[in-house]
Amino acid sequence: MTNKQKQSSQQKVNSNTHTTTLSWPLISTKFNLQIETIYQDHIVIIPSFFTSQECTNMVKFINKTVPLESANPSLIPKKGEAYRDNDRFSIEDIKFSEILYNSGLNSLVSNWSSTLTKKPAVGLNPNIRIYKYSTGQKFGQHYDDSVQDSLGRISEWTLLIYLNGGNNENDIFLYGGETVFYKKKEEIVIRPERGMALLHKHGHDCLLHEAKEVKRGFKYVLRSDLMFA
């Protein structure tokens, strides 16, 4: 299956996780967020999870402050890994994960429960990842595995927050970089929109998916996981 293996890069990212403190840009609490279901019990989006200004501030912060780990285009994936050549950074930050969760996500998922354990959603993985894709970069077909965070909680959903993209993008141009899910012969295409959050089921119920190549411009993404306990 080459690039269609269960992706094991979670362990690789965790081994390079930073523990230094970052002074993140402010994220406001929203009271009017809404979930839109893309594929029942598997994929949902939250438009305007970040405001346009929050996205601008976050991208400037990433470019100025975050020591992204450079991509290695010549990297050949090991067995069980998918090809990826985007720049990235990982940090353990419990406080910021709580800020993200309590900014409006908590009220949307408060009644969600684990498929396996029936335990409720309780927060986000403090392992925060930052992805920057330049023109020509991508993340091949893979599955996201369920993980246990530093607090002993178990994940079942991936959270992606797109910091740029969409027809109204006026700061950082992006063409391409879609997140594509594969359900038998059907393709479910999620195009990055500035400030939009994407939640998709992972672990046992994860759909094969990939981040398509960025054709022009840059793509910025924040990543965490929804945890249950």
Side-chain angles (χ1 to χ4, degrees):
M1 290 178 70
T2 313
N3 288 343
K4 297 182 182 181
Q5 307 285 345
K6 177 176 289 188
Q7 78 107 343
S8 61
S9 60
Q10 179 72 36
Q11 295 178 354
K12 185 176 180 181
V13 169
N14 283 347
S15 66
N16 295 322
T17 297
H18 296 258
T19 56
T20 56
T21 301
L22 292 179
S23 297
W24 298 90
L26 294 177
I27 303 298
S28 63
T29 301
K30 288 88 176 176
F31 300 97
N32 58 348
L33 296 176
Q34 294 185 350
I35 283 181
E36 296 181 11
T37 299
I38 303 300
Y39 177 47
Q40 188 68 38
D41 297 327
H42 281 81
I43 306 170
V44 303
I45 60 172
I46 307 171
S48 300
F49 185 75
F50 277 9
T51 67
S52 179
Q53 188 60 55
E54 287 171 347
C55 290
T56 296
N57 294 343
M58 188 65 71
V59 169
K60 289 181 178 178
F61 166 76
I62 292 170
N63 287 333
K64 183 178 180 180
T65 307
V66 178
L68 293 169
E69 297 170 3
S70 298
N72 184 358
S74 64
L75 179 66
I76 299 176
K78 298 177 182 179
K79 183 177 181 181
E81 293 183 353
Y83 177 85
R84 62 185 304 176
D85 55 4
N86 61 293
D87 294 348
R88 48 199 185 271
F89 178 80
S90 174
I91 187 168
E92 187 80 7
D93 195 324
I94 294 176
K95 183 176 180 180
F96 185 65
S97 71
E98 292 174 346
I99 289 172
L100 282 182
Y101 186 66
N102 293 322
S103 68
L105 180 61
N106 54 337
S107 62
L108 295 178
V109 301
S110 59
N111 62 341
W112 289 22
S113 60
S114 164
T115 302
L116 298 176
T117 66
K118 307 306 178 183
K119 293 182 177 179
V122 292
L124 291 177
N125 190 344
N127 179 213
I128 306 296
R129 283 134 284 173
I130 298 171
Y131 301 150
K132 178 182 178 180
Y133 295 81
S134 301
T135 300
Q137 293 183 334
K138 62 183 180 180
F139 189 174
Q141 295 182 7
H142 62 280
Y143 298 93
D144 290 357
D145 204 359
S146 180
V147 298
Q148 185 175 48
D149 70 7
S150 58
L151 303 176
R153 307 172 303 182
I154 304 298
S155 72
E156 284 194 18
W157 292 76
T158 295
L159 171 69
L160 300 177
I161 305 170
Y162 300 106
L163 301 178
N164 69 309
N167 296 330
N168 297 321
E169 181 59 57
N170 54 13
D171 279 356
I172 302 170
F173 182 77
L174 170 62
Y175 177 65
E178 301 89 351
T179 304
V180 180
F181 296 88
Y182 298 93
K183 180 179 178 290
K184 295 183 179 179
K185 295 183 178 182
E186 179 184 359
E187 293 186 4
I188 303 172
V189 180
I190 308 295
R191 292 179 172 81
E193 292 282 345
R194 184 182 181 89
M196 181 178 76
L198 165 69
L199 280 161
H200 71 84
K201 196 74 176 291
H202 66 215
H204 181 267
D205 295 324
C206 189
L207 294 176
L208 181 68
H209 61 285
E210 65 179 318
K212 286 288 191 177
E213 178 183 339
V214 171
K215 300 296 185 181
R216 289 199 303 260
F218 298 90
K219 174 184 171 185
Y220 291 84
V221 183
L222 281 186
R223 157 80 194 268
S224 186
D225 311 283
L226 185 59
M227 313 305 293
F228 297 79

